[in-house]
Amino acid sequence: MIARIKSYIKPILSSGKFSSPSGRISYTTMVRYLNQQESINIDKNLFESYKFSVDQLMELAGQSCAFAIAREYTSVKQCAQKILVCCGPGNNGGDGLVCARHLKQFGYSPEIYYPKRTSNTLYENLLHQCIENDIPLLEAELKDFASKRLKQFGLIVDAVFGFSFKPPVREIFIPVICLLENATIPICSVDIPSGWDVEKGPAANGGIKPEMLVSLTAPKMCAEKFKGKYHYLGGRFVPKKLETEYKLSLPEYPGTDLIVPLH
């Protein structure tokens, strides 16, 4: 009997994946986790060698995050609860704006908190698209909002800081980071939990504790410290040549999915 079990398990493990009882695919091969400089270099390669544009990558990233949320948080939609999307001033915030737009198209009710807007045309256009899709912008003081309205939301999307973040947190973002750290509703972080060290993970006080993490292109080293329920990878656009160059060992995406769970 034992020999028979071993003969069954071995080919499954050698393939690098197996199906869990829930039907999810888990990966036994080790996807490579990137340090900060590798993440920056890969983005640079995508722009310069593969001719992706910033807005193109942002659209792919934000869409992947919306897909992952729709996969795991269907009850938010069914209960007509709202999703709070917290956006920072850089590319991570742009991903959040795109995510909000797709969530609206999927039938959710997102609202955007965007404390430091930029005059960059790309971000202005992304925000304009959200406004034209009737996505409200949160204008109230965050302290008053947290005490009065936060309980109306079923999920928070954390799109404040990306992999280029270096401590300390600037004063203007301290309120939203405090909100995220003390939230009692689920959080989905885009690429890295905001305020975490990209390589070392959360600060000594624990930092943000997201229930979901959507890694983009490839997971960053801090994702090894992620203790939440759902970890997804969004990056089906990554060219095979680039994957080979950086030895990323990315998993196969099932069917036509743009996201894949990492367990």
Side-chain angles (χ1 to χ4, degrees), residues 208-258:
I208 298 171
K209 299 178 178 64
E211 184 173 89
M212 171 183 275
L213 175 63
V214 183
S215 294
L216 300 172
T217 306
K220 314 308 180 283
M221 287 176 65
C222 65
E224 294 177 336
K225 305 293 178 64
F226 172 67
K227 303 298 183 184
K229 291 174 66 176
Y230 313 115
H231 186 190
Y232 277 88
L233 177 64
R236 194 163 190 168
F237 60 87
V238 175
K240 195 67 180 178
K241 287 170 61 177
L242 186 144
E243 178 186 347
T244 301
E245 178 183 353
Y246 284 88
K247 299 180 175 62
L248 298 179
S249 299
L250 298 178
E252 294 179 12
Y253 288 76
T256 57
D257 285 359
L258 299 182

Side-chain angles (χ1 to χ4, degrees), residues 11 13 45 67 70 81 94 121 163-164 173 182 203 239:
L13 293 180
N45 267 9
F67 280 0
Q81 290 175 312
T121 302
F163 61 73
S164 60
F173 297 110
N182 295 294

